[in-house]
Structure formats: C-alpha cells, structure tokens
Amino acid sequence: MQTITLNNGVEIPALGLGVFQTPAEETRSAVTAALESGYRHIDTAAAYGNEREVGEAVAASDLDRSEVFIETKIWISDYGYDQTLHSFDKSAGKLGVDQIDLLILHQALPSEFEKTIAAYKALERLLADGKVRAIGVSNFMVDHLTQLLGTATVVPAVNQIEVHPYFQQREVQAFGAERGIVTQAWSPIGGITFYREGEHTSTLQDPVIVAIAEAHAKSPAQVMLRWHLQQGRSVIPKSTKAHRIAENVDVFDFELSGDQLAAVDGLDTGKRGGPEPEAVTLGAFGRDIPEA
Ligand code: NDP
C-alpha cells in the first residue's frame, strides 16, 4: 500500500476505507472485507456511531494493531479542552485501543472558535502524551486554518475536506500544501453528488470520467481515486459491498496521463455538496456522543 508521509514523519496509507453512513451492524463486515482486500487504514468518527464495530473488526483480523492505521474524529459537542480529552477516552474505549493513529476535529465551530481552539489544544496534549500519533482537522476553510495556526504549536497533519471532480477546493488545498497539511478527500468518488439534480446525476456517470475509465479498462470510481492519488491526496472511499471495496483499492496498476488529470480538473463546478462549514453551529448540529 502506497503511503503519504505526514508533517511529523508518520506514514499514513494513501487509501483507506470510510465508514460514514455505514450502519453499525454492517461495519464489521465492511472493515473485515477491506482488511482482506489489502486496506490498512480505516476512517471513522465519534459521530458515525460505529467506532466499536471498527475496533472489533480490526481486533478480529490476523493483523497486528500496528499494521492498521485508525483515524477518528471528535464531534463538535465534545469541543473544549477537558471535554475533548474525555472524548479521546470515549473513542479509544469504543475502538478498544490505547493509541489512535490520527485524531482530527470533525468541523470548525466558527461562531465559537475559542472552543475549537481549546479542542485543538487538547489534541496537542494527547500528541505530546503519545496517546495519538498525529492530529489534524476536517472541513477547515482558509480562514479557519489561519485562525488556528495563529495559536497552534503543532501544524495539523491533515485537513479532511470535500474533494471530488465536481468540487475541488483548490484554494484550501494550496493553502494547506504550503504549510505541510495533507489534503484528505472525503466523498472522493463524489458520493455526496449522487443525489443532486443536474445534467449528470453523479460523477460516476460523467462522460469525461467514463471515457477515461474506458481507455484504461477501469471503472469511473477507480479513475477518480487515481486522480486524487496522483495529485498527492489521501482518499477514504466508502462502500459496504465487498466487491466495490476490492475495486476501490485496485488502483495501483495504472496511471492517468497529464491530459487526463487536467480533464478531471476541468470538471469542477464550485458547488459544495456538504454543509457550509461557516454555518456549522452547536444548535444545528450538536448531539450527544455516548460514553464508551
Ligand atoms: P464516497 O465518494 O466514498 O462514495 C460513497 C458512495 O459510493 C456510496 O453510496 C457507495 O455505495 C458508493 N460506491 C462506493 N464504491 C463504489 C464503486 N466502486 N462504484 C460505484 N459506487 C460506489 O462518499 P462518502 O460521502 O461516503 O465519503 C467517503 C468517506 O469520507 C466517508 O465514509 C467518511 O469516512 C468520510 N466523510 C467525511 C466527512 C467529513 O465531514 N469529514 C463527510 C463525508 C464523508 P455502497 O456503500 O452501496 O457501495
């Protein structure tokens, strides 16, 4: 498995399995299928309600704990220094691990940014104590990163943001790249676009992507994953189906040309699929994260 070296020297497998919206009862089988297909990185979150099943599947595999990179996220309801330290205990307890490989803040809380800063300070503490191997953020825009970097002592290792051919956030990516922050693409094959109205119902049916896929005898999903990897992004495609889980990791035996990468770059619509990061508030999105 190809890896990306984070800004503190830790190596992250470039491709992992995402488990957002994977029901808890299907998570064990999805993670097991992924590990059997060669995945060594799982991306979950406290808010997904399936950390326990992720941990169970990793523990039940033949792999040593050190061979699987586990990433999870602190939900906004647990922001604040002490609350975030406790949130680590909740996540580690459900995952059944002593150390989490990558722990990130799930969202900025723009209207209460001091809570976001306090949460990040707790991540820095966890890193110093060896409870986590790397720390980062998610859905941080340039303004949020700028505010955070004004007080942080540790530069986030990753910023996990929505990136797929129809929404590429080049400005956020470039800002991160200049500061050693790896962009990790969520909805990397455009999952969030599948239900939207328009000329193409989803990235999977986009004629440009379909044509490139046909040229390589690969699938549209594989072309999109290759596009990310060749541009240096970490990717975490989600599927609950074993055959798609296997398909999504089978992307290391072909290469897109410069023209093909540029053609995919040209598909950006500038239209966000996920929630507007500036509008995330505890009132609208807060929810209790259960104890381990
Ligand atoms: P993806 O781009 O990974 O797409 C997932 C969708 O594509 C599902 O409907 C899946 O269906 C389908 N699919 C998967 N593989 C294939 C394939 N080879 N061919 C056709 N269809 C396929 O989108 P997600 O939004 O799920 O994002 C991936 C991960 O990113 C999440 O699981 C999560 O870990 C993370 N994420 C993080 C967010 C954040 O705020 N930080 C927000 C959203 C996601 P099926 O399961 O039926 O195969």
Side-chain angles (χ1 to χ4, degrees), residues 49-103:
N50 55 18
E51 288 173 309
R52 197 177 307 282
E53 291 74 16
V54 168
E56 285 171 2
V58 172
S61 76
D62 292 337
L63 297 163
D64 189 73
R65 165 71 190 93
S66 64
E67 294 177 85
V68 184
F69 192 99
I70 299 180
E71 172 174 2
T72 193
K73 315 182 188 80
I74 307 277
W75 188 238
I76 52 173
S77 308
D78 283 345
Y79 284 7
Y81 188 78
D82 291 335
Q83 295 92 323
T84 299
L85 289 179
H86 181 59
S87 193
F88 165 85
D89 292 333
K90 292 197 273 188
S91 286
K94 290 173 195 164
L95 289 161
V97 300
D98 299 325
Q99 188 189 50
I100 290 169
D101 295 286
L102 175 58
L103 186 60

Side-chain angles (χ1 to χ4, degrees), residues 16-50:
L17 178 76
V19 294
F20 176 44
Q21 293 176 326
T22 301
E25 60 278 11
E26 290 176 52
T27 302
R28 265 185 85 139
S29 61
V31 173
T32 300
L35 297 176
E36 285 172 357
S37 299
Y39 289 69
R40 293 294 179 265
H41 170 194
I42 312 295
D43 175 67
T44 181
Y48 297 170
N50 55 18

Side-chain angles (χ1 to χ4, degrees), residues 56-291:
E56 285 171 2
V58 172
S61 76
D62 292 337
L63 297 163
D64 189 73
R65 165 71 190 93
S66 64
E67 294 177 85
V68 184
F69 192 99
I70 299 180
E71 172 174 2
T72 193
K73 315 182 188 80
I74 307 277
W75 188 238
I76 52 173
S77 308
D78 283 345
Y79 284 7
Y81 188 78
D82 291 335
Q83 295 92 323
T84 299
L85 289 179
H86 181 59
S87 193
F88 165 85
D89 292 333
K90 292 197 273 188
S91 286
K94 290 173 195 164
L95 289 161
V97 300
D98 299 325
Q99 188 189 50
I100 290 169
D101 295 286
L102 175 58
L103 186 60
I104 66 180
L105 301 184
H106 206 140
Q107 303 274 352
L109 256 186
S111 58
E112 298 178 73
F113 207 76
E114 65 291 346
K115 274 196 170 174
T116 312
I117 298 278
Y120 194 78
K121 292 232 167 298
L123 296 193
E124 292 179 332
R125 174 82 256 156
L126 292 163
L127 184 68
D129 289 347
K131 301 267 182 74
V132 299
R133 295 174 64 223
I135 60 176
V137 294
S138 175
N139 297 307
F140 272 45
M141 301 294 98
V142 167
D143 180 41
H144 309 139
L145 289 171
T146 303
Q147 286 187 66
L148 183 71
L149 292 171
T151 63
T153 55
V154 176
V155 176
V158 308
N159 186 19
Q160 183 183 120
I161 55 174
E162 179 181 349
V163 185
H164 48 74
Y166 289 170
F167 189 59
Q168 302 183 16
Q169 308 211 71
R170 291 277 161 201
E171 189 197 357
V172 186
Q173 290 196 53
F175 185 91
E178 282 162 22
R179 288 155 185 83
I181 303 169
V182 167
T183 295
Q184 187 171 56
W186 68 251
S187 268
I189 62 169
I192 197 132
T193 71
F194 292 2
Y195 313 106
R196 92 176 173 188
E197 294 165 14
E199 196 184 340
H200 313 301
T201 52
S202 89
T203 46
L204 290 174
Q205 282 137 26
D206 187 281
V208 169
I209 297 170
V210 168
I212 297 172
E214 283 168 1
H216 288 279
K218 286 284 185 178
S219 70
Q222 290 170 322
V223 166
M224 287 185 264
L225 294 169
R226 202 58 228 170
W227 168 72
H228 289 290
L229 293 168
Q230 286 183 224
Q231 295 188 344
R233 288 183 291 281
S234 160
V235 283
I236 41 169
K238 172 263 178 186
S239 179
T240 53
K241 300 180 175 57
H243 71 280
R244 285 178 173 171
I245 289 171
E247 174 187 324
N248 292 344
V249 77
D250 182 19
V251 293
F252 297 100
D253 61 350
F254 74 111
E255 195 150 343
L256 303 183
S257 68
D259 285 350
Q260 289 170 334
L261 292 173
V264 181
D265 287 348
L267 299 176
D268 195 0
T269 65
K271 197 171 155 197
R272 184 184 298 286
E276 177 54 55
E278 202 52 36
V280 171
T281 60
L282 281 170
F285 291 93
R287 72 159 113 142
D288 186 46
I289 301 296
E291 296 295 325

